Amino acid sequence: MLVSAVFEVRRTHLPSLFSYQVERFSGNRFFWSEPGRRLALAGIGCALKIEADDAEERCRLVERQWQEVIDGCIVQGEAADHTGPHLFGGFSFDPLNESSEEWRRYPHTKFVLPEIMWTEYEGRTWVTLNKMISRDKVQDHSDASWEDYLRVVEQLSGAAEELPSSVEEERIYKEEIAPTEWMSAVERAASAIRAGQMRKVVLARQMKLYADRPFDVREILGRLLREQANTYVFAIESGSDCFVGATPERLIESKDGLFRTLSLAGTIGRGRTEEEDLRYGEFLFHDEKNLHEHALAVEMIRDAMQQLCEHVELPDAPILYRLKDVQHLLTPISGRAKEGVTLLQAIEALHPTPALGGMPREAAIEAIRELEHMDRGWYAAPIGWLNRKMDGEFAAAIRSALVRGKEASLYAGCGIVGDSVAISEYQETALKFRPMLSALGALDSDSAS
């Protein structure tokens, strides 16, 4: 059974966990920071792992196994908000798609309960320690059992400031993967939509980076936290690889029976001056292609939420959501969950939204399999956490990169509708690559052939 201990500690610089005792904790380190930076969670070690490859049952399997664990858990100490045992992880975008060598360390479903978890909430910091122990030894479980963990916590509690970055000059080469073929796929998709085969499809493309030395996840997280306000900054390790990003897109949040989600579709760049920026925003608000793309996403998410919730609320028109490199159309959507409806059931119902896959869902996913010629892995898929109340929050893992030592794979996509123009969609993906290019130190790097 699970035994957890919770206590408050001094502030800890959480990205530093990715450079601490690499030999011991590598492969089992996690980071999550919500927009606004009010809450951050980070964990190291693995007290429990849940994996699943069953495409039909993966959400239910995770829910069932986690429920069994938390039903009998013991939590020592005063558990404040966002403390106690949390399960971190995510899913692949398409569990029916064959996994590539690139994503081999990321199963279609993987969640981990960390041995040590830090919670940073409204300026205070707590630690949760987690152990799975035999039921017949629960009565003998004393504070001494945590000594090894407590040494780690004490060593890291002084890491309140960001460690200096490497001053070595680094060469990073960029390789765009088949851009001409991707634009041809956009044209084929738009033609299929005009022919009535589907209403929208999201096509993604890939870029590769090659560096002289291994990428440092601690440095990447530091840059994302500084540069990408209003995003979920995350990192999820699996083996020697790390999936990291700064996504603006909440998939679903559950708290005390309230579900909150959003539609984020329709994109334009930022202006170089305030006047130009306002002009771009006004254009986005009145552009028929972007408004149509956004309306399709709202329609599907609203319909799904009406199946999940007693009452669904959403505004009549989208708002403008500004990020460092782009601005989007955003419509917040919320509802009170129906009796017995859970967070993971909501994920199953919502993923992939039209902003990530397309519409109708089945036709769009088939088009993605046919046209993209790549394995998305966990890109554009649900990643996040669950607590012992079965509440939690999941985001759509866009604006992300899979880091593998000296190599990194970046992903960016855009929604294709009937009047999409291939070169314009290509330019939109170029904008969406910028956050991760900057975070990886490659914004102005050379391109490889």
Side-chain angles (χ1 to χ4, degrees):
M1 65 181 299
L2 171 62
V3 176
S4 301
V6 179
F7 52 94
E8 192 167 357
V9 296
R10 289 178 292 161
R11 181 177 177 271
T12 301
H13 182 248
L14 300 183
S16 295
L17 303 183
F18 284 82
S19 59
Y20 174 77
Q21 288 197 19
V22 174
E23 297 81 5
R24 176 177 176 183
F25 293 112
S26 180
N28 291 297
R29 294 179 289 191
F30 315 91
F31 180 86
W32 174 276
S33 179
E34 67 174 18
R37 309 295 172 241
R38 185 182 179 207
L39 169 69
L41 302 167
I44 55 177
C46 176
L48 170 76
K49 180 167 62 176
I50 299 174
E51 293 186 359
D53 280 320
D54 190 315
E56 297 296 326
E57 292 288 326
R58 59 182 187 165
C59 286
R60 286 182 283 274
L61 184 146
V62 172
E63 184 174 78
R64 185 167 60 249
Q65 291 194 22
W66 181 234
Q67 189 70 62
E68 289 172 358
V69 169
I70 59 179
D71 276 348
C73 74
I74 295 173
V75 180
Q76 305 169 348
E78 292 188 18
D81 285 345
H82 305 293
T83 66
H86 281 55
L87 198 64
F88 289 84
F91 303 93
S92 65
F93 178 84
D94 181 2
L96 297 180
N97 197 27
E98 186 177 349
S99 294
S100 63
E101 170 64 19
E102 189 168 54
W103 285 98
R104 65 186 175 86
R105 300 189 187 279
Y106 286 80
H108 284 299
T109 302
K110 181 179 179 181
F111 285 82
V112 170
L113 170 69
E115 294 174 287
I116 309 173
M117 185 190 84
W118 283 259
T119 300
E120 197 173 84
Y121 184 66
E122 294 187 334
R124 299 171 67 184
T125 306
W126 290 265
V127 160
T128 300
L129 310 179
N130 299 302
K131 273 190 178 181
M132 299 297 293
I133 63 173
S134 300
R135 289 183 180 275
D136 58 354
K137 296 182 179 179
V138 170
Q139 299 303 320
D140 300 326
H141 199 71
S142 65
D143 290 341
S145 304
W146 302 114
E147 283 183 0
D148 184 38
Y149 290 177
L150 291 172
R151 280 194 292 271
V152 173
V153 173
E154 181 58 31
Q155 288 170 4
L156 282 162
S157 290
E161 299 299 328
E162 185 172 356
L163 299 177
S165 300
S166 170
V167 295
E168 294 180 36
E169 186 174 343
E170 183 179 14
R171 296 280 292 178
I172 300 175
Y173 297 92
K174 295 186 291 193
E175 179 188 7
E176 294 206 43
I177 308 299
T180 303
E181 289 84 345
W182 186 82
M183 284 188 278
S184 176
V186 169
E187 291 171 350
R188 290 170 60 195
S191 177
I193 292 167
R194 290 192 296 272
Q197 296 175 23
M198 55 189 164
R199 300 172 69 187
K200 174 186 174 180
V201 63
V202 177
L203 293 182
R205 67 185 184 96
Q206 187 183 40
M207 179 185 292
K208 296 236 182 195
L209 301 183
Y210 304 92
D212 294 334
R213 60 182 174 87
F215 290 102
D216 188 332
V217 175
R218 178 203 58 184
E219 293 181 9
I220 295 168
L221 287 174
R223 292 191 191 108
L224 290 175
L225 289 168
R226 287 192 303 271
E227 297 175 1
Q228 299 299 324
N230 300 321
T231 66
Y232 297 90
V233 173
F234 66 89
I236 303 175
E237 271 191 336
S238 191
S240 58
D241 302 343
C242 189
F243 185 46
V244 59
T247 173
E249 188 158 356
R250 172 194 290 136
L251 181 62
I252 185 79
E253 177 194 34
S254 169
K255 185 173 183 180
D256 300 327
L258 180 67
F259 285 168
R260 296 171 62 223
T261 183
L262 56 82
S263 170
L264 191 79
T267 306
I268 200 167
R270 298 298 305 270
R272 289 166 294 183
T273 65
E274 185 175 347
E275 181 183 358
E276 186 178 57
D277 203 44
L278 290 170
R279 190 165 67 250
Y280 284 2
E282 280 297 307
F283 175 85
L284 186 60
F285 264 127
H286 296 94
D287 179 57
E288 287 188 12
K289 183 264 181 186
N290 280 290
L291 288 172
H292 175 60
E293 182 186 340
H294 186 82
L296 291 177
V298 170
E299 177 186 334
M300 178 271 173
I301 296 170
R302 180 202 61 212
D303 291 349
M305 286 285 282
Q306 286 174 342
Q307 297 297 313
L308 299 165
C309 301
E310 297 289 353
H311 178 66
V312 175
E313 294 184 354
L314 68 161
D316 294 331
I319 61 174
L320 202 60
Y321 195 63
R322 287 188 169 98
L323 301 170
K324 182 174 183 286
D325 300 294
V326 295
Q327 40 195 329
H328 297 289
L329 296 175
L330 182 151
T331 296
I333 305 171
S334 62
R336 180 65 55 180
K338 291 179 179 178
E339 184 72 26
V341 174
T342 65
L343 173 60
L344 286 174
Q345 287 173 356
I347 290 171
E348 195 170 34
L350 289 167
H351 174 74
T353 69
L356 306 170
M359 192 174 182
R361 179 184 294 176
E362 292 75 16
I365 291 176
E366 282 298 327
I368 289 168
R369 291 174 186 150
E370 179 186 346
L371 296 172
E372 277 191 354
H373 303 297
M374 72 173 186
D375 174 19
R376 288 191 178 191
W378 283 27
Y379 164 72
I383 52 104
W385 53 269
L386 286 163
N387 64 19
R388 61 191 171 120
K389 295 180 181 179
M390 298 301 284
D391 280 339
E393 187 164 21
F394 281 74
I398 56 174
R399 315 293 149 78
S400 52
L402 177 63
V403 175
R404 306 174 69 210
K406 297 179 181 179
E407 298 183 12
S409 297
L410 283 63
Y411 302 86
C414 49
I416 310 305
V417 291
D419 58 353
S420 291
V421 178
I423 188 61
S424 297
E425 304 299 342
Y426 173 83
Q427 290 166 347
E428 181 177 318
T429 57
L431 279 174
K432 291 175 176 177
F433 277 128
R434 289 180 63 86
M436 291 311 300
L437 286 172
S438 178
L440 289 155
L443 197 55
D444 300 313
S445 295
D446 297 331
S447 292
S449 57

